[in-house]
Amino acid sequence: MTIRLTTAAAAIALLIGATGALGAGKPTDPQIAHIAYTAGVLDVEAAKQAIAMSKNESVIEFAKGMVRDHEAVNTQALDLVKKLNLTPDDNDTSKALSRAAEMKREELAKLSGADFDRAYIDNEIAYHKQVNEALETQLIPSAENAELKSLLETGLKLFQGHEQHAEHVATELK
């Protein structure tokens, strides 16, 4: 089974759209913090599912990297939120991401072996493309706090590496 478009990517696309889940206005720093943190948590959950279900060393290694990197970025994000005395603002985009990720995990749980590996990696490629696009076009330009903007820019570089790594793993799975 090949999964072409992830529901999580569709949820992120809501953010990018002109009249997306955040409406016509740009997201606030508390909303940006919540969206970025939520996206990281969801990718950690997906990676933990892959570690538990896959037997492929490349897929497991990739997933372990996702857990390590996203947990590290989220720790930095939480430290920054405390330092700035921001209260992350749950919003429609964060909620849509969470719902979509839950649906994807349920979808992946029905697969096994090479079908699971391919679907997980395809999802990671699509997810990182959408998150990176959201960071570049919406979240970084909208961030008003310089430290938050810097953390998002650092995250973007890291997540672009994740996208490339996932694409490399995908070539191994063919």
Side-chain angles (χ1 to χ4, degrees), residues 78-99:
L78 288 176
D79 290 346
L80 180 60
V81 163
K82 286 178 190 170
K83 177 182 173 186
L84 300 176
N85 200 25
L86 284 176
T87 301
D89 184 13
D90 197 7
N91 53 74
D92 289 344
T93 301
S94 297
K95 291 174 185 171
L97 284 171
S98 295
R99 282 191 305 272

Side-chain angles (χ1 to χ4, degrees), residues 34-88:
H34 200 279
I35 292 166
Y37 182 80
T38 299
V41 166
L42 297 174
D43 207 36
V44 167
E45 290 173 359
K48 288 181 177 176
Q49 182 183 31
I51 292 167
M53 292 186 64
S54 181
K55 303 283 187 247
N56 182 297
E57 286 185 34
S58 295
V59 170
I60 293 169
E61 172 113 5
F62 174 83
K64 286 180 178 177
M66 295 304 99
V67 171
R68 179 193 62 238
D69 291 351
H70 284 286
E71 285 183 342
V73 170
N74 276 353
T75 297
Q76 291 175 14
L78 288 176
D79 290 346
L80 180 60
V81 163
K82 286 178 190 170
K83 177 182 173 186
L84 300 176
N85 200 25
L86 284 176
T87 301

Side-chain angles (χ1 to χ4, degrees), residues 3 15 32 44 53 63 88 102 121 161:
I3 302 165
L15 173 65
I32 292 169
V44 167
M53 292 186 64
E102 184 178 335
I121 291 297

Side-chain angles (χ1 to χ4, degrees), residues 15 22-29 31-32 138-139 141-144 149:
L15 173 65
L22 291 173
K26 69 178 190 173
T28 63
D29 284 357
Q31 288 174 326
I32 292 169
Q138 188 79 19
L139 300 179
S142 298
E144 292 185 10
K149 188 179 289 265

